[in-house]
Amino acid sequence: MTTKLPVLEKFRSGDVRVGVIGLGYVGMPLARAFIEKGVPVLGFDVDPVKVAKLREGVSYIGHIDSEVVRGMREKGFDATTDFGRLDEVDAVLICVPTPLSESRDPDLSYVVASARAIAARLRPGQLIVLESTTYPGTTRDVVLPILTEGGLQPGVDFLLAYSPEREDPGNPDFSAPTIPKVVGGFDEASREAASALYARIVVRVVPVSTLEIAEACKILENTYRAVNIALVNELKVLYDRMGVDVWEVIAAAKTKPFGFQAFYPGPGLGGHCIPIDPFYLSWVARKHGLSTRFIELAGEINTSMPAYVVGRIADALNDRSKPLRGSKVTILGMAYKKDVDDPRESPGFELMELLLNKGADVEYNDPHIPVLPTMRHYPNLRMSSRELTPDYVRSRDCLLVATDHSAYDWPRIVEQASLIVDTRDALRGVPSGRATILRA
């Protein structure tokens, strides 16, 4: 099928306006990348609070300063909750969450809602690109039928592509322009248009033959990490039982210049991608009559880590003649990774719920998250970060290092705490002071 619209040159020239649906940890860096290359962006989000802040030049993402947002506004960025304005842009990039349901099935409700909003205003010549991580077949089998409900046809009236996001929040070594972009199109014209658009903002575009190849690429990237993290998590439990320091083992192994890449254990998986994406592939495999045993085993190991950590805390308190019930436990770090304010799928929430269910008095500190947001699976965990004053730290029975933010003064904390359970190897080399340190 060949497009009858003279749109390819438009995307090659860059004389376009881009729309981004979903102004979160993926959508905002993407919008910033286009703005910095002189491409105007209209952002769409269902959250009126976010949109109001952006219009006031205020950022709600820790690693994007408000000064950056104000600069974006001056260069042609605007935000709205009015999805009726989708026909004002030439390309619509969908960057919405793709969580799991309670039964660990794909929840594509945000993608479907975005596609319906686009379909209601879809006009000839527009390019639609899905960036949200999902299983192979989503763009063709879920998004496309919605977009064609009004009679417009892909490759003839509009263009359709998939290009997986590769954002790493808070990582100063990688930003949207420095990361190669994989692009798959419904047809050649769609792929060329999307490739031309992204070529304006990234170091390299990697075109692939189909939508499904691009979708499967993202799932492979994240499943690779999930499986290898599960391996080191399993080894952590084994090596602990054997009295072997898993962190030192990994440090030694990564000196090999070939055939080994270091992955690190932790209290559980966090972030939007790694805890979720492999289960999308497991789900679609079942639809094809297959089981993904490696993925499912990795999922079992990784999801068991919070309970393992809580067991280690209970054992450590028991050694000090204290029951977990009634003990005062403070979690250090509720973000899913170091030095960001991103709580998505953070294991800190499950750790907190497990400790509360066992009767512990649980609080938290996170310099990047002053108040816990309402989480999809943990709507009742509402509290504010506690200041780590000397008196407060001394009053707690146990500190749990869940996220090793750089802002923490570990020597001072160790001097004041009585018991610390460290899941990130944050305290290696720190003199123990008065604290008993247990690695978990």
Side-chain angles (χ1 to χ4, degrees):
M1 189 177 293
T2 304
T3 179
K4 64 185 181 184
L5 298 167
V7 295
L8 289 183
E9 282 306 317
K10 185 178 183 67
F11 287 103
R12 291 190 182 110
S13 70
D15 183 22
V16 295
R17 189 183 191 192
V18 170
V20 176
I21 299 180
L23 300 175
Y25 292 92
V26 173
M28 279 301 294
L30 187 63
R32 178 185 181 182
F34 277 109
I35 286 292
E36 291 181 348
K37 292 298 183 180
V39 179
V41 177
L42 178 58
F44 297 84
D45 203 284
V46 296
D47 187 342
V49 175
K50 286 184 178 179
V51 169
K53 285 185 176 181
L54 292 174
R55 287 191 156 184
E56 293 167 4
V58 177
S59 176
Y60 43 81
I61 296 176
H63 60 281
I64 298 179
D65 294 336
S66 292
E67 183 179 346
V68 170
V69 175
R70 290 191 290 272
M72 290 172 62
R73 295 278 293 156
E74 293 170 0
K75 295 176 183 177
F77 174 73
D78 195 11
T80 182
T81 58
D82 181 6
F83 285 73
R85 298 180 61 188
L86 280 164
D87 58 356
E88 296 179 18
V89 299
D90 301 292
V92 184
L93 314 181
I94 304 171
C95 305
V96 296
T98 46
L100 294 170
S101 69
E102 292 294 339
S103 58
R104 292 198 175 275
D105 290 340
D107 179 357
L108 295 179
S109 58
Y110 299 101
V111 171
V112 169
S114 298
R116 293 199 182 285
I118 295 168
R121 305 297 295 182
L122 186 62
R123 60 171 174 78
Q126 282 185 305
L127 166 67
I128 313 303
V129 185
L130 178 61
E131 287 215 1
S132 303
T133 306
T134 186
Y135 60 86
T138 302
T139 309
R140 191 181 307 275
D141 299 337
V142 177
V143 175
L144 179 57
I146 296 172
L147 297 180
T148 58
E149 286 176 354
L152 296 181
Q153 294 301 309
V156 177
D157 303 301
F158 68 92
L159 303 170
L160 178 64
Y162 180 83
S163 181
E165 59 89 3
R166 281 175 163 174
E167 185 66 22
D168 189 10
N171 188 337
D173 296 327
F174 297 105
S175 60
T178 67
I179 304 170
K181 204 86 167 73
V182 172
V183 176
F186 170 80
D187 60 358
E188 184 178 351
S190 296
R191 183 176 65 247
E192 288 185 14
S195 296
L197 179 67
Y198 285 118
R200 297 188 61 81
I201 65 165
V202 300
V203 63
R204 182 163 66 99
V205 172
V206 183
V208 296
S209 58
T210 66
L211 295 165
E212 290 76 13
I213 294 291
E215 291 165 330
C217 169
K218 176 62 172 177
I219 291 285
L220 172 60
E221 293 169 14
N222 291 332
T223 301
Y224 167 78
R225 294 182 65 193
V227 169
N228 281 281
I229 291 171
L231 172 63
V232 293
N233 275 330
E234 187 170 53
L235 289 176
K236 174 179 72 173
V237 176
L238 171 62
Y239 287 168
D240 175 69
R241 186 73 60 88
M242 297 171 65
V244 174
D245 185 340
V246 68
W247 297 92
E248 188 172 353
V249 171
I250 295 170
K254 74 177 184 180
T255 62
K256 184 180 180 181
F258 57 91
F260 180 83
Q261 180 178 351
F263 291 84
Y264 298 95
L269 292 183
H272 176 65
C273 292
I274 302 177
I276 292 175
D277 300 350
F279 290 106
Y280 270 51
L281 197 54
S282 294
W283 177 82
V284 78
R286 291 195 296 272
K287 288 186 65 178
H288 289 271
L290 297 172
S291 66
T292 50
R293 289 179 289 171
F294 254 62
I295 294 173
E296 288 160 13
L297 178 58
E300 290 175 16
I301 293 169
N302 289 328
T303 56
S304 72
M305 295 316 296
Y308 168 78
V309 171
V310 170
R312 295 281 281 162
I313 294 171
D315 290 342
L317 288 167
N318 185 64
D319 290 342
R320 302 166 73 86
S321 301
K322 290 179 177 290
L324 181 55
R325 179 174 296 277
S327 287
K328 298 175 181 178
V329 180
T330 295
I331 299 174
L332 301 184
M334 290 295 289
Y336 87 87
K337 64 180 284 191
K338 184 176 183 176
D339 297 341
V340 302
D341 63 345
D342 188 346
R344 292 176 297 171
E345 305 298 324
S346 170
F349 290 90
E350 185 171 358
L351 288 165
M352 181 176 284
E353 186 171 75
L354 289 171
L355 288 165
L356 288 169
N357 288 342
K358 290 185 177 296
D361 173 3
V362 187
E363 295 178 338
Y364 86 97
N365 169 274
D366 192 310
H368 301 282
I369 304 178
V371 178
L372 291 185
T374 300
M375 302 298 288
R376 178 184 175 95
H377 297 298
Y378 305 99
N380 300 317
L381 297 181
R382 299 180 180 180
M383 62 180 75
S384 298
S385 177
R386 295 299 304 265
E387 184 180 357
L388 298 181
T389 64
D391 287 344
Y392 175 77
V393 174
R394 291 191 188 101
S395 73
R396 307 304 286 176
D397 296 306
C398 179
L399 301 183
L400 168 62
V401 181
T403 309
D404 53 334
H405 293 306
S406 298
Y408 286 127
D409 185 344
W410 297 118
R412 182 181 63 83
I413 290 172
V414 168
E415 278 295 321
Q416 297 160 0
S418 59
L419 172 65
I420 304 177
V421 175
D422 180 7
T423 70
R424 299 291 187 180
D425 201 36
L427 303 180
R428 181 174 296 276
V430 178
S432 61
R434 71 187 288 264
T436 298
I437 299 173
L438 175 70
R439 288 181 174 84

